[in-house]
Amino acid sequence: MNSQQIHLASRPAGTPTADNFTLQTIPLPELKEGEILVKNTWMSVDPYMRGRMIDRKSYVPPFQIGEALEGGAIGEVIQSNHPDFPVGSKVSSMLGWRTHYIGDGTGLTRLPETTLPDQSFLGIMGMPGMTAWTGLFRIADLQPSDTVFISAASGAVGSIACQIAKMHGCTVIGSVGSQEKAEYLRSLGVDAVINYKEATNLTEALAEAAPQGIDVYFENVGGEHLEAALNNMNDYGRIAVCGLISQYNATEPQPGPSNLSMLIIKKLKMQGFIVFDHWAHYGEYANQMGQWIAEGKVKWEETVFEGIEQAPRAFIGLFEGKNKGKMLVKL
Amino acid sequence: MNSQQIHLASRPAGTPTADNFTLQTIPLPELKEGEILVKNTWMSVDPYMRGRMIDRKSYVPPFQIGEALEGGAIGEVIQSNHPDFPVGSKVSSMLGWRTHYIGDGTGLTRLPETTLPDQSFLGIMGMPGMTAWTGLFRIADLQPSDTVFISAASGAVGSIACQIAKMHGCTVIGSVGSQEKAEYLRSLGVDAVINYKEATNLTEALAEAAPQGIDVYFENVGGEHLEAALNNMNDYGRIAVCGLISQYNATEPQPGPSNLSMLIIKKLKMQGFIVFDHWAHYGEYANQMGQWIAEGKVKWEETVFEGIEQAPRAFIGLFEGKNKGKMLVKL
């Protein structure tokens, strides 16, 4: 049995290109006792993976050149020498970017019995959904009376954050980069949408969209978005810093916001987080979101590329705004 | 009776100059029933006052051109028609920048009976001391095992923050702008001192001073200091944003730190605060600090200018690093 895998060929300088990746075919050994062979059916590409392509100390070690990339994946057990993972079981893992792998169960989670599509565990029922919920409730202490600004609002995390905040009773403003995405956001019930590519002044656009000011900013973007949010925050506002996608491909250090004095003037809290630190609370999230889905209260979109060889293109597409909702690769 | 007062003549562009101030002599009316006449004996100049010289919405309204400035002051009642403030009582107020004023008791606090010098209620027993304590404990949740970095560490707030953190068991690194101030800081028991004017690379200087990393940053400065702190923070570090003095006199917007991604990578919390929001806890602070002083555990310095006409010079001196400890004007 062979596994097709995407390896990191070289570290990207700026926006990743196809050259930074190679497709390798690796023979897999025979299964030993206690092992299983998994065929991946879906894999996730996420903006945070860009950070792991840089050779630096971080919360997860950097990807190594000449080795397979990693990331969320859903697969099916096709051979088993392990009683807990019979053939036909579906498992989620961090062993994406490959068609097959052998495991002994470590780091694998069997999908629960649900009527949800498997790939939802890479999106709304998985890391992106849990990220949205964690940022809003565990970092920003979301209250029903809050006005919430969410950047990259049509993405995997943003589109779920918008809906959770609406269900909690909040007024929600989202920013997106196209009219099509703006329409999508309106279809989710968001109160006001900013197309940042058409706004000449993001501070003014946000002031117009939220004349009452912003209590919570769910930060996915950085740069001008953060500056505009700081200018429009209300006293005691909270900023959950989830991502800074505008910075990820920068080849030179990007200056930060010139208005950090707003932190003092408005007594703001700004806090970065990594969802994996909060994973002990996943059950709480999954129960709540499962119920919202059963009640028909949430929607989600997927942008799907097909075939392992398309994975680099899907990943690069994240930085070109090619996805609406969760970007996935079907294997 | 006349009151000599410093008025704002014009809004400073950049660092304030003598031209921005005028000394006015204003006749005071006769005392009415329920009123007192106070002769100020000490007044405070503080960096935050620079912010009130800008015409913008903030937590306190801006100073008005052609009117007396305001700030912390200690005075003595010299005429009284008010039973709660007999002649000879000492009062603290926000009615500094003037030699005399008439009041009805509103906004005035009688100094407690202590053996402390009156002006300590403008320093270690007043707003600057309370600011240091609030930032460390109520914002940064200081723990005895923490390594703490304090910028502007020889100033009124910084020098108290250094000593409180040391008494709490922390390792303390301070940054200052001269060798004389560095010596002063060492005399307070600080573990390592950085003279930022001599450091070619503040990130490296801080890494050398705190190879174990920084858990809490008490931010008084901004700019390169913040960038260096972010680079040296440990996971789950806390940044209490008290002041950004490097920005106060900027005539153009100053770019913020280029490494805000550290907020995510290291899961940091950064929070701005205004001490007046925490004033309900002043009694707790004053009891604790009074005890430390009685036990001879804390030291403080004062830099004193004499005469109301010197007040602008004292204020301007804050931005030239002219003070060690609390900058005061004796009236």
Side-chain angles (χ1 to χ4, degrees):
Chain A
M1 176 62 66
N2 288 329
S3 175
Q4 288 190 291
Q5 309 183 335
I6 304 288
H7 286 205
L8 185 64
S10 54
R11 300 201 182 278
T15 306
T17 62
D19 295 350
N20 300 129
F21 305 89
T22 52
L23 180 62
Q24 302 284 341
T25 302
I26 307 288
L28 295 179
E30 289 297 306
L31 277 201
K32 301 201 194 81
E33 194 47 42
E35 289 186 340
I36 57 176
L37 175 64
V38 179
K39 179 185 184 305
N40 274 332
T41 49
W42 292 93
M43 64 165 270
S44 181
V45 290
D46 301 281
Y48 81 86
M49 295 172 176
R50 179 65 181 83
R52 290 191 67 186
M53 294 178 182
I54 303 168
D55 191 11
R56 67 168 174 207
K57 190 168 172 290
S58 185
Y59 55 97
V60 279
F63 293 131
Q64 295 303 308
I65 290 172
E67 295 192 10
L69 298 167
E70 293 173 3
I74 302 294
E76 190 174 327
V77 177
I78 58 172
Q79 280 183 40
S80 177
N81 290 332
H82 193 307
D84 298 343
F85 296 93
V87 170
S89 340
K90 289 172 178 176
V91 293
S92 75
S93 75
M94 287 303 287
L95 294 167
W97 297 88
R98 69 202 75 197
T99 57
H100 298 78
Y101 63 87
I102 288 173
D104 63 2
T106 310
L108 305 186
T109 309
R110 284 187 64 177
L111 295 196
E113 297 285 337
T114 68
T115 56
L116 295 167
D118 295 346
Q119 70 274 22
S120 71
F121 289 91
L122 297 177
I124 192 155
M125 291 301 293
M127 186 272 283
M130 178 65 184
T131 300
W133 181 84
T134 298
L136 290 174
F137 291 110
R138 294 183 50 79
I139 304 296
D141 188 25
L142 192 70
Q143 303 298 321
S145 56
D146 286 336
T147 295
V148 185
F149 176 45
I150 298 169
S151 55
S154 67
V157 175
S159 60
I160 303 173
C162 286
Q163 294 179 83
I164 293 176
K166 279 307 299 175
M167 287 188 288
H168 199 59
C170 302
T171 301
V172 178
I173 291 101
S175 84
V176 295
S178 77
Q179 280 315 320
E180 187 200 348
K181 290 175 177 174
E183 280 312 311
Y184 168 52
L185 224 58
R186 285 189 195 99
S187 79
L188 298 180
V190 161
D191 298 279
V193 185
I194 295 168
N195 178 347
Y196 73 88
K197 289 195 179 157
E198 290 187 350
T200 48
N201 181 320
L202 210 50
T203 290
E204 288 171 17
L206 188 52
E208 206 169 299
Q212 73 278 33
I214 303 295
D215 303 298
V216 166
Y217 175 39
F218 194 106
E219 167 66 301
N220 289 311
V221 172
E224 277 180 60
H225 271 83
L226 179 54
E227 196 154 291
L230 286 165
N231 284 335
N232 282 283
M233 294 301 285
N234 290 328
D235 280 6
Y236 307 106
R238 292 89 67 202
I239 301 178
V241 188
C242 174
L244 296 166
I245 198 169
S246 73
Q247 323 275 299
Y248 292 172
N249 292 315
T251 49
E252 308 259 306
Q254 300 290 296
S258 65
N259 56 349
L260 281 182
S261 59
M262 293 296 166
L263 292 176
I264 304 176
I265 293 172
K266 299 175 175 178
K267 305 160 269 198
L268 306 177
K269 186 181 84 164
M270 190 165 163
Q271 188 171 355
F273 71 103
I274 303 289
V275 69
F276 301 110
D277 281 354
H278 301 263
W279 211 258
H281 297 266
Y282 173 72
E284 193 183 334
Y285 169 69
N287 283 342
Q288 174 66 80
M289 182 51 79
Q291 191 182 324
W292 281 329
I293 292 174
E295 293 167 358
K297 287 186 177 165
V298 274
K299 302 180 204 175
W300 66 93
E301 294 258 341
E302 296 166 352
T303 303
V304 179
F305 283 68
E306 298 215 13
I308 183 81
E309 69 283 359
Q310 295 292 327
R313 195 172 298 183
F315 176 67
I316 295 165
L318 291 170
F319 303 102
E320 296 166 339
K322 292 242 167 96
N323 59 308
K324 212 159 66 180
K326 181 73 192 103
M327 184 76 103
L328 291 165
V329 183
K330 191 172 192 306
L331 302 179
Chain B
M1 175 63 65
N2 288 330
S3 175
Q4 288 191 291
Q5 309 184 336
I6 304 289
H7 286 205
L8 185 64
S10 54
R11 301 200 180 278
T15 305
T17 61
D19 295 351
N20 299 130
F21 305 89
T22 52
L23 179 63
Q24 302 284 341
T25 301
I26 308 288
L28 296 177
E30 290 296 307
L31 279 200
K32 301 201 196 77
E33 195 47 41
E35 288 186 340
I36 57 176
L37 175 64
V38 179
K39 179 185 184 308
N40 274 332
T41 49
W42 292 92
M43 63 165 270
S44 181
V45 290
D46 301 282
Y48 81 86
M49 294 171 175
R50 179 65 181 84
R52 291 191 67 187
M53 294 178 182
I54 303 168
D55 191 12
R56 68 168 174 210
K57 192 171 171 289
S58 185
Y59 55 97
V60 279
F63 293 131
Q64 295 303 308
I65 291 173
E67 296 191 9
L69 298 168
E70 295 173 2
I74 302 292
E76 189 174 327
V77 177
I78 57 172
Q79 281 183 40
S80 178
N81 290 332
H82 193 308
D84 298 343
F85 296 91
V87 169
S89 339
K90 290 173 178 176
V91 292
S92 75
S93 74
M94 286 302 287
L95 293 167
W97 298 89
R98 69 202 76 198
T99 57
H100 298 77
Y101 62 87
I102 289 173
D104 62 2
T106 309
L108 305 186
T109 309
R110 284 187 63 176
L111 294 195
E113 296 286 336
T114 69
T115 55
L116 295 167
D118 294 346
Q119 71 273 23
S120 71
F121 289 91
L122 296 176
I124 192 155
M125 291 300 293
M127 187 271 283
M130 178 65 185
T131 300
W133 181 84
T134 299
L136 290 174
F137 291 110
R138 295 185 47 79
I139 304 295
D141 188 26
L142 192 70
Q143 302 297 320
S145 57
D146 286 334
T147 295
V148 185
F149 176 45
I150 298 169
S151 54
S154 66
V157 175
S159 61
I160 303 172
C162 285
Q163 295 179 82
I164 293 177
K166 280 306 300 174
M167 288 187 287
H168 200 58
C170 303
T171 302
V172 177
I173 291 102
S175 84
V176 295
S178 77
Q179 281 313 324
E180 187 200 346
K181 290 176 178 176
E183 281 311 310
Y184 168 51
L185 225 57
R186 285 189 195 99
S187 78
L188 298 180
V190 161
D191 298 279
V193 185
I194 296 169
N195 178 347
Y196 73 88
K197 288 194 179 155
E198 290 187 351
T200 48
N201 181 320
L202 210 49
T203 290
E204 287 171 16
L206 189 52
E208 207 170 299
Q212 74 278 33
I214 303 294
D215 303 299
V216 166
Y217 175 40
F218 194 106
E219 167 66 300
N220 287 312
V221 172
E224 275 180 59
H225 271 83
L226 180 53
E227 198 154 290
L230 286 166
N231 284 333
N232 282 284
M233 296 299 287
N234 290 328
D235 281 6
Y236 307 107
R238 292 88 68 202
I239 301 177
V241 188
C242 174
L244 295 167
I245 198 170
S246 73
Q247 323 273 300
Y248 292 172
N249 292 316
T251 49
E252 310 257 305
Q254 300 290 296
S258 65
N259 56 350
L260 281 182
S261 59
M262 293 297 167
L263 291 176
I264 304 176
I265 293 172
K266 299 174 174 179
K267 303 159 269 198
L268 307 176
K269 186 182 85 164
M270 188 167 167
Q271 188 169 354
F273 71 103
I274 303 289
V275 68
F276 302 109
D277 282 353
H278 301 263
W279 212 258
H281 297 265
Y282 173 73
E284 192 184 335
Y285 168 69
N287 283 342
Q288 174 66 80
M289 182 51 78
Q291 191 182 324
W292 282 328
I293 292 173
E295 293 168 358
K297 288 187 178 164
V298 275
K299 302 179 203 176
W300 65 94
E301 293 257 342
E302 294 168 354
T303 303
V304 178
F305 284 68
E306 298 215 14
I308 182 82
E309 68 282 1
Q310 296 293 327
R313 197 173 296 184
F315 177 68
I316 295 165
L318 291 170
F319 304 102
E320 296 166 340
K322 292 243 166 98
N323 59 308
K324 212 159 66 178
K326 182 70 192 105
M327 185 76 104
L328 291 165
V329 184
K330 191 171 192 304
L331 300 180

